[in-house]
C-alpha cells in the first residue's frame, strides 16, 4: 500500500526527527544522508511508490539551504550597523542599543546611557558569545562599517578607541569627520590585503593631512573629493590618491582583490578628473545632479588601472562591492528611473518598474564587471514598492549571493521562483546566481512586522552567515522546512549559519559534503555501503579492516 504525501513533507518530517539539536535549532540533514537513512530504516516498498520516491529525489537534487544554528541578539532600540567574518570564521558584530544586550536570552551587556550606546561583540564558529564590549556614545551614532585583520579591528563611527581585554584585540577607530588620538581619518570604508596593509576610502572637505607621522601629505579638495589611501601594516602612509571633481564626491565602498588591487565606488554629483595624465574631466555626470556613481581600480602601487561610470536619470546608489578569485568585480545597489551602463561597447539600461509613476520607487540591481572593468551582466530586482540591494558576496566557486529588502511584491528577473509577496511591512530576500548571472536560487523571509537584511558572509566550506533585523515572528528556513523565531525586545536581530549545496557545484569526493545536492553522485561513500570511509572492507561495519581495499559497487564484504 502506498501513502501519497508531499515529498517536502517527508523531507521536513524526517529531518526534524533525525536532526541534531544545536543552539535551539534543529539542523537539517543533507539530502544524501537523508536518502540513506530512509533507505536503511524503513522498507521503501511498503511506504512509497516508485513515483513518489522519484519526486522525493528530484526535490533533494535541486538545491539545499540547511539551517545549522541561529543566534538571537535582543535589546531595546537596537540596530546592527556592521559585521565581519574573521579568518577563523568568528563573527564580529557592531551596532547600537539601549539598556541591555541579550544573546540567546543571556545578558552580556547590562548598562547604557539614557539614550543609546554602541557595542561590539564576537560570536564563535558555533554561534556562541565569545565577548562583548560597550562603547559610550558622546556625539551620536552614524552608519558604521567594520573590517579586521589578525588582531586588529577597524570601526567607522564617532567613537573613541577602546581596547578589548579578553583576547588582546585592539580596536582602532576611523571616525567620520571627528577626532581620535590614536588613528584619525575621515574614512567611510576599509579593507586589508594579504600582508595586512590597510586601504581606506572616504571623502575630504577643504583639506586633510593623510600622514599620521611627522611628515605631511595634505590633499586639498575642490568641494568634496573622494580618496583612497594605503597604509602599511605598521600604519605608515604608503600613498594616497584623491579624485578632484566639481561636485560632492565620496568614496563609499572599497574592496581589495586577490592581486592586492583596490576597487572603490564613489558617489558622483558633477564632472570629475580621474586620470591625472589626461587634461580635463574624463567622466561627466550622466543625466543630472546627485544621480551617478563611478568605480575605479588602482594597483597596489596606486596606479590607475581603469574606471567605469554608472549613471541614472533620477538616482542610483551602490551599496556594496565584492570580488571573486579571478578578480572580477560585483556590485549591488538601488536605483530609480533609467540606470545606464555599457556592455560590449553598447549602451544599455534598466528601467525601474515604477519609473513613470508620480511617486517612483527604488528597484535593486546586482552586476558583474570583468577584471578589466567591462560590464558583463546586470540583473534587475524590482517590485511594486521600494526594493534595496544591500550586500553582495561571491564564494570560491564563483556563485554570487545577493541580499536585500523590499516592500509589498518582489520580482527577481530570470529566477524560477520570481514573484514574492511580503508577509508584513517589509521582508528580505536572498538571490543566488552563477558567475554568468544565471539564476540558481531565490527566496524571501519575513514576518508581519519590519524585517531588514543587514549582512551576508561566506566561508570556504559552503556555509553562509545571514544577519538581519526583525520585529515580529518570522520563519528563517527559506522554504526548506519551518523554523520560527520571535523578537525579545524592541530591537531584535538574528545571526543564522546556513549550509548550502547548489546544482552547479562539482562533487568533491572524500570531503564529507554532498557538494552538488545529488545523492546519486558518488561522494565519500564510494562503495555505497552507508559508511563514509574510503577503504572499509565490510559493508556492514566500517571499523573492520578499514585499510583493506574494498571493491566498489558490489555490495559485499570482499575480504
Amino acid at each position: 500500500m502506498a501513502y501519497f504525501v508531499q515529498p517536502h513533507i517527508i523531507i521536513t518530517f524526517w529531518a526534524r526527527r533525525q536532526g541534531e539539536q544545536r543552539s535551539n535549532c534543529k539542523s537539517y540533514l543533507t539530502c544524501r544522508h537523508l536518502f540513506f537513512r530512509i533507505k536503511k530504516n524503513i522498507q521503501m516498498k511498503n511506504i512509497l511508490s516508485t513515483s513518489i520516491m522519484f519526486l522525493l529525489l528530484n526535490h533533494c537534487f535541486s538545491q539545499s539551504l540547511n539551517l545549522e544554528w541561529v543566534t538571537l541578539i535582543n535589546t531595546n532600540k537596537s540596530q546592527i550597523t556592521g559585521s565581519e567574518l574573521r579568518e577563523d570564521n568568528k563573527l564580529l558584530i557592531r551596532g547600537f542599543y539601549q539598556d541591555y544586550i541579550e544573546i540567546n536570552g543571556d545578558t552580556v551587556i547590562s548598562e547604557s546611557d539614557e539614550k543609546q550606546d554602541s557595542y561590539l561583540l564576537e560570536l564563535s564558529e558555533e554561534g556562541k558569545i565569545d565577548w562583548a564590549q560597550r562603547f559610550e556614545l558622546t556625539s551620536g551614532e552614524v552608519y558604521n562599517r567594520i573590517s579586521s585583520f589578525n588582531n586588529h579591528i577597524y570601526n567607522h563611527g564617532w567613537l573613541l578607541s577602546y581596547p578589548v581585554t579578553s583576547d588582546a584585540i585592539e580596536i582602532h577607530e576611523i571616525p567620520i569627520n571627528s577626532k581620535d588620538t590614536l588613528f584619525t581619518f575621515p574614512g567611510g570604508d576599509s579593507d586589508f590585503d594579504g600582508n595586512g596593509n590597510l586601504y581606506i576610502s572616504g571623502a575630504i572637505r577643504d583639506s586633510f593631512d593623510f600622514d599620521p607621522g611627522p611628515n605631511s601629505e595634505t590633499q586639498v579638495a575642490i568641494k568634496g573629493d573622494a580618496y583612497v589611501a594605503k597604509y602599511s601594516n605598521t600604519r605608515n602612509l604608503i600613498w594616497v590618491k584623491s579624485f578632484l571633481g566639481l561636485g560632492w564626491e565620496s568614496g563609499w565602498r572599497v574592496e581589495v582583490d586577490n592581486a592586492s588591487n583596490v576597487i572603490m565606488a564613489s558617489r558622483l554629483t558633477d564632472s570629475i578628473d580621474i586620470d591625472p595624465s589626461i587634461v580635463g574631466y574624463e567622466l561627466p555626470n550622466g543625466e543630472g545632479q546627485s544621480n551617478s556613481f563611478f568605480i575605479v581600480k588602482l594597483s597596489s602601487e596606486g596606479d590607475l588601472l581603469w574606471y567605469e561610470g554608472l549613471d541614472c536619470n533620477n538616482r542610483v546608489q551602490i551599496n556594496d562591492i565584492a570580488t571573486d578569485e579571478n578578480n572580477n568585480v560585483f556590485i549591488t545597489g538601488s536605483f530609480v528611473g533609467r540606470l545606464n551602463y555599457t556592455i560590449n561597447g553598447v549602451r544599455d539600461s534598466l528601467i525601474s518598474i515604477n519609473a513613470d509613476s508620480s511617486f517612483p520607487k527604488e528597484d535593486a540591481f546586482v552586476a558583474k564587471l570583468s577584471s578589466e572593468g567591462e560590464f558583463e551582466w546586470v540583473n534587475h530586482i524590482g517590485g511594486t514598492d521600494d526594493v534595496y540591494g544591500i550586500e553582495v558576496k561571491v564564494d570560491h566557486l564563483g556563485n554570487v549571493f545577493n541580499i536585500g529588502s523590499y516592500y509589498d511584491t518582489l520580482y527577481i528577473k530570470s529566477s524560477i521562483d520570481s514573484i514574492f509577496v511580503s508577509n508584513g511591512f517589509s521582508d528580505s530576500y536572498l538571490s543566488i546566481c552563477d558567475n554568468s548571472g544565471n539564476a540558481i536560487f531565490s527566496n524571501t523571509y519575513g514576518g508581519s512586522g519590519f524585517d531588514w537584511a543587514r549582512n551576508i558572509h561566506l566561508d570556504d566550506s559552503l556555509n553562509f552567515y545571514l544577519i538581519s533585523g526583525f520585529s515580529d515572528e518570522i520563519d528563517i528556513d527559506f522554504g526548506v522546512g519551518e523554523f520560527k523565531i520571535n523578537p525579545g525586545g524592541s530591537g531584535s536581530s538574528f545571526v543564522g549559519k546556513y549550509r548550502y549545496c547548489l546544482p552547479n557545484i562539482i562533487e568533491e569526493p572524500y570531503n564529507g559534503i554532498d557538494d552538488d545536492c545529488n545523492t546519486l553522485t558518488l561522494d565519500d561513500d564510494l562503495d555505497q555501503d552507508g559508511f563514509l570511509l574510503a577503504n572499509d572492507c565490510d559493508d556492514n561495519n566500517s571499523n573492520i579492516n578499514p585499510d583493506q581495499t574494498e571493491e566498489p559497487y558490489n555490495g559485499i564484504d570482499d575480504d
Side-chain angles (χ1 to χ4, degrees):
M1 177 178 179
Y3 296 90
F4 290 89
V5 294
Q6 293 292 330
H8 70 272
I9 295 176
I10 299 172
I11 294 172
T12 303
F13 170 76
W14 191 266
R16 288 291 185 191
R17 292 294 303 271
Q18 301 293 334
E20 178 183 357
Q21 185 80 22
R22 294 182 184 176
S23 302
N24 298 319
C25 171
K26 290 186 170 110
S27 301
Y28 293 109
L29 301 173
T30 63
C31 291
R32 182 186 199 298
H33 295 146
L34 171 62
F35 172 75
F36 279 112
R37 281 198 170 183
I38 293 175
K39 179 181 177 182
K40 186 174 182 178
N41 286 275
I42 61 178
Q43 296 180 358
M44 304 298 295
K45 62 180 181 180
N46 291 333
I47 295 182
L48 293 175
S49 69
T50 303
S51 59
I52 292 297
M53 187 62 187
F54 175 77
L55 292 174
L56 172 62
L57 294 178
N58 267 350
H59 184 90
C60 282
F61 296 167
S62 55
Q63 61 265 325
S64 177
L65 302 181
N66 301 322
L67 181 60
E68 298 290 322
W69 52 256
V70 61
T71 295
L72 301 183
I73 303 175
N74 291 323
T75 183
N76 286 327
K77 298 180 180 180
S78 172
Q79 179 172 309
I80 290 177
T81 56
S83 63
E84 174 84 355
L85 183 66
R86 299 183 53 160
E87 297 90 342
D88 54 5
N89 289 338
K90 293 186 176 183
L91 272 170
L92 296 169
I93 298 176
R94 174 83 158 78
F96 59 86
Y97 75 101
Q98 183 175 329
D99 298 332
Y100 64 92
I101 293 286
E102 287 183 353
I103 305 296
N104 290 338
D106 296 328
T107 301
V108 296
I109 297 178
S110 59
E111 59 181 345
S112 71
D113 287 341
E114 293 181 1
K115 294 184 178 180
Q116 290 178 331
D117 281 348
S118 184
Y119 69 88
L120 177 67
L121 60 85
E122 181 181 85
L123 297 180
S124 70
E125 193 172 3
E126 294 75 31
K128 307 295 184 181
I129 183 71
D130 283 342
W131 50 261
Q133 180 63 57
R134 169 200 177 200
F135 301 90
E136 183 177 355
L137 289 179
T138 58
S139 303
E141 177 66 28
V142 296
Y143 182 79
N144 288 274
R145 302 282 287 185
I146 185 171
S147 59
S148 70
F149 183 82
N150 292 337
N151 285 335
H152 295 275
I153 303 171
Y154 286 80
N155 288 306
H156 304 258
W158 284 337
L159 299 173
L160 297 177
S161 178
Y162 206 101
V164 174
T165 58
S166 60
D167 293 335
I169 296 176
E170 297 177 7
I171 301 174
H172 294 178
E173 293 294 351
I174 308 171
I176 298 175
N177 299 327
S178 183
K179 292 295 181 183
D180 184 339
T181 57
L182 181 60
F183 200 59
T184 305
F185 290 97
D189 198 11
S190 64
D191 199 9
F192 293 87
D193 64 21
N195 296 316
N197 298 309
L198 174 67
Y199 298 77
I200 304 173
S201 70
I204 55 174
R205 307 290 183 257
D206 299 323
S207 64
F208 190 83
D209 182 8
F210 284 86
D211 196 330
N215 299 322
S216 176
E217 181 59 51
T218 300
Q219 300 285 313
V220 179
I222 296 178
K223 285 186 178 180
D225 292 340
Y227 76 86
V228 179
K230 178 180 179 179
Y231 295 86
S232 69
N233 54 18
T234 57
R235 302 305 166 247
N236 296 313
L237 178 67
I238 298 177
W239 51 258
V240 58
K241 303 291 181 182
S242 60
F243 303 92
L244 302 179
L246 299 179
W248 300 94
E249 287 71 52
S250 177
W252 193 248
R253 293 291 175 260
V254 67
E255 179 82 6
V256 179
D257 67 15
N258 287 337
S260 296
N261 302 309
V262 57
I263 300 96
M264 180 195 70
S266 171
R267 185 180 300 278
L268 177 64
T269 64
D270 210 322
S271 298
I272 189 170
D273 184 9
I274 298 178
D275 191 345
S277 66
I278 300 176
V279 178
Y281 298 95
E282 296 83 39
L283 196 62
N285 179 41
E287 300 186 45
Q289 294 294 319
S290 302
N291 57 11
S292 297
F293 263 72
F294 73 92
I295 306 164
V296 62
K297 181 176 181 178
L298 305 175
S299 70
S300 61
E301 290 76 32
D303 298 324
L304 177 65
L305 298 178
W306 54 258
Y307 61 89
E308 184 61 69
L310 188 68
D311 64 84
C312 186
N313 68 336
N314 195 318
R315 64 179 179 269
V316 63
Q317 173 78 37
I318 294 178
N319 289 324
D320 198 25
I321 306 176
T323 59
D324 64 13
E325 293 193 345
N326 296 317
N327 299 326
N328 298 306
V329 179
F330 300 82
I331 58 175
T332 191
S334 303
F335 72 101
V336 176
R338 182 174 59 253
L339 181 68
N340 303 307
Y341 49 89
T342 300
I343 295 182
N344 296 325
V346 178
R347 197 68 168 161
D348 203 349
S349 62
L350 296 180
I351 299 177
S352 59
I353 292 177
N354 291 292
D356 297 328
S357 68
S358 301
F359 301 97
K361 302 296 184 179
E362 304 267 356
D363 278 6
F365 68 91
V366 58
K368 175 186 177 182
L369 294 85
S370 70
S371 61
E372 303 302 320
E374 301 290 337
F375 276 101
E376 294 191 1
W377 51 262
V378 182
N379 284 350
H380 187 183
I381 304 173
T384 56
D385 208 318
D386 288 326
V387 183
Y388 301 95
I390 295 175
E391 279 204 346
V392 60
K393 293 292 186 293
V394 188
D395 68 12
H396 63 288
L397 300 171
N399 297 301
V400 183
F401 290 67
N402 179 220
I403 62 168
S405 293
Y406 70 100
Y407 302 88
D408 201 15
T409 302
L410 179 74
Y411 304 99
I412 301 179
K413 183 180 178 181
S414 301
S415 173
I416 298 173
D417 301 315
S418 60
I419 301 176
F420 302 94
V421 179
S422 173
N423 294 309
F425 185 68
S426 66
D427 280 5
S428 297
Y429 68 85
L430 168 66
S431 177
I432 307 174
C433 64
D434 64 21
N435 213 258
S436 299
N438 301 310
I440 298 176
F441 172 89
S442 60
N443 213 324
T444 62
Y445 62 94
S448 61
F450 182 86
D451 308 296
W452 198 261
R454 293 294 177 189
N455 304 112
I456 187 170
H457 302 284
L458 311 176
D459 63 24
D460 291 332
S461 300
L462 303 182
N463 300 301
F464 70 85
Y465 304 79
L466 181 64
I467 302 171
S468 185
F470 69 107
S471 63
D472 207 338
E473 182 183 72
I474 61 173
D475 179 12
I476 59 172
D477 252 357
F478 288 107
V480 176
E482 184 178 275
F483 191 86
K484 293 184 177 181
I485 56 176
N486 288 279
S490 60
S492 294
S493 301
F494 75 86
V495 182
K497 179 180 179 180
Y498 296 81
R499 172 82 185 147
Y500 69 91
C501 57
L502 302 171
N504 67 335
I505 297 177
I506 298 175
E507 187 66 50
E508 180 182 346
Y510 304 127
N511 65 350
I513 300 168
D514 181 19
D515 304 285
D516 64 354
C517 304
N518 189 340
T519 61
L520 300 183
T521 303
L522 295 175
D523 186 31
D524 301 307
D525 184 21
L526 293 186
D527 61 359
Q528 298 184 330
D529 63 358
F531 299 110
L532 299 184
L533 295 180
N535 295 315
D536 70 273
C537 69
D538 189 325
D539 293 321
N540 297 307
N541 189 340
S542 66
N543 296 315
I544 296 179
N545 298 327
D547 297 325
Q548 299 297 316
T549 300
E550 172 75 12
E551 182 179 346
Y553 318 133
N554 65 352
I556 63 173
D557 180 12
D558 299 290
D559 67 342

